[in-house]
Amino acid sequence: MRGVKALFFILVLAGAVLAAGCIGSTNASEDRKPFEGQTITVCSGAGLMKPINELIGMFENETGVKVEVHYGGSSEIFGVLQTTCGCDVFIPGAWYYTEQAMKKGYILNGTVRNVTEHIPVIAVPKGNPKGIHSLEDLAKPGVRVVLGDPKAAAIGKVSKKILEKNGLWDEVKPNVVVFTPTVNQLLIYISTRQADAAIIWEDMVTWAQAKGKIEVVQIPREQNSIKTIPTAVTTCAEKDGHVEVARAFNEFVANHTEIWEKWGFRPWKG
Amino acid sequence: MERLRFRTLTIFVAFLFTFFLFMAIATLFFVPRPHEILEALKSEEMVYSLKLSLITASISTLLVILIGIPIGYALSRFDFRGKSAVKSILDLPMAFPELVLGLALLLLFGRTAFGDALSALGINVVFTKLGIVVAQFFTALPYAVRVIYTTFEGISPRYELVARSLGYSEFETFRKVTLPMAKDGLFASTIISFARSMGAFGAVLILAGGSYMNTEILPVTLYLNISYGNIGMAITSGIVLVVVSFLAILIFERLEGGEHGPVRG
């Protein structure tokens, strides 16, 4: 019995020492990192995952903030913003959604930053089996085209806009074998050679191109519809009491252009 | 006394989590306003989606049953080399996410030697309504085989042996003795296959494309409208799917678990 009591005492003492150690560590952290212990939620287009993951890692190290991130299609995360007010920072894959969010009062005034260009390109399977070299080639007989759904995917809206702008929508549409709800499907279908061409974001094909599965055909600037990827703080951050740290993250994302460039994006020079 | 506490505890857990699940499902029905639901139900997209879902699910269910019966019977009555491999592979789609199945089917039926051969015969699966049926078929098949297998396992081989000894051939025995005795189990597997086909999403999205008003079935309608931010339509799709599932499971429970379950020989 005495042995048990002694053991119990030792355990309590050990626990106390460990707890003191943790407390000391916390104090030290608070001295060094300005937002220690806070959490913010970021909603980001799924296609931006690689640079955003890296930026979050850097920001967390620098500030001690815990950043939770929700990736999805741009319209999907826009839905999250509207239905649950679940985003402190909103980074969709196209300006359109930030614009809509501003109109509906979800964006904090003065916080919108254009980060990079978002450039549509034509993606074709390795070897370019159908010899696609221009937008006009998408209308050639026998070409299997996949496009994003204009109602569901940011790339779908842009693709339709580009084709209409160049007077090609009616000619290309018969060649479209599927309008996809998600942008990722476009990549799958081109990589697996289910289709001969797609209009997709340039950054999304960087990896597949490097792996030798996809080739990229640039769209001439004057024919293209180049978007920007914006980042902004939401009014939800205000309700959550996270405005200052959300602003800090927002600026962090906008300023680290070298990370965006690393992952295939071109900095916006407005 | 100890037994009473144990009994109370287990019943309490059953009711508690049933309550949570019920509340989660019930919010689908209570959140939107009735006129929103009616509006959504009457929309062109919902009507198209519902019709397509019912048609493709009916076709895939029929195919699943026709093919599931011989598979279930073979696994129940016969021993053969590779039997455990067959069983394991047939069960696989129950164990991995539907998206994996969709990707696998895309690779098989797409631009491969096999897919190209089918195309040459005029059979196109990728991005077509046939793709919906194929995706639903392979999603539902494992569940049907399980139920059918269990049904046949529950029928004593004695009845078949008696029929055989009285002069029936193997096929006659199967058709006139085994199948009638398995009637309730087969109906139950039909119901579970239909519900599973109606709910197939990941495989259909990848293989058939999930195109608006083309290869759009109810789960795709739900997903698309969440993406649009059209919550009324999304919730209504969910409600329809819940109603279908509820009816299916109700019938399934009645046939599979009730007093009219499989005959125990």
Side-chain angles (χ1 to χ4, degrees), chain B residues 87-134:
Chain B
K87 252 180 147 186
S88 299
I89 292 172
L90 280 171
D91 278 346
L92 272 178
M94 285 195 288
F96 53 57
E98 239 192 79
L99 281 172
V100 175
L101 180 62
L103 188 58
L105 292 172
L106 178 74
L107 293 174
L108 176 66
F109 287 102
R111 305 282 272 267
T112 58
F114 180 70
D116 287 343
L118 285 184
S119 271
L121 296 173
I123 301 170
N124 290 300
V125 173
V126 178
F127 306 147
T128 66
K129 295 179 179 63
L130 176 58
I132 298 175
V133 174
V134 171

Side-chain angles (χ1 to χ4, degrees), chain B residues 221-236:
Chain B
T221 303
L222 196 157
Y223 179 74
L224 280 174
N225 282 277
I226 284 176
S227 293
Y228 302 160
N230 190 347
I231 303 302
M233 275 282 279
I235 291 176
T236 303

Side-chain angles (χ1 to χ4, degrees), chain A residues 25-103:
Chain A
S25 174
T26 301
N27 289 334
S29 296
E30 279 169 1
D31 291 340
R32 287 189 278 105
K33 300 185 178 181
F35 297 110
E36 183 69 42
Q38 291 195 47
T39 301
I40 57 169
T41 304
V42 174
C43 294
S44 166
L48 313 179
M49 188 180 289
K50 290 184 168 68
I52 292 294
N53 274 348
E54 187 163 347
L55 288 162
I56 286 173
M58 290 164 63
F59 185 75
E60 286 184 331
N61 281 338
E62 238 177 72
T63 63
V65 174
K66 171 64 183 168
V67 181
E68 293 174 354
V69 60
H70 180 114
Y71 291 114
S74 296
S75 50
E76 183 182 337
I77 58 174
F78 184 47
V80 169
L81 179 59
Q82 289 187 95
T83 58
T84 70
C85 218
C87 321
D88 297 319
V89 179
F90 184 60
I91 315 178
W95 167 258
Y96 171 82
Y97 295 96
T98 297
E99 187 177 41
Q100 292 301 304
M102 289 169 75
K103 286 178 180 175

Side-chain angles (χ1 to χ4, degrees), chain A residues 75 144 178 185 189 193-194, chain B residues 110-111 205-206 210-211 227-228:
Chain A
S75 50
R144 293 162 57 91
V178 66
Q185 280 169 274
Y189 295 145
R193 312 178 77 89
Q194 308 306 329
Chain B
R111 305 282 272 267
L205 183 75
I206 298 297
S211 276
S227 293
Y228 302 160

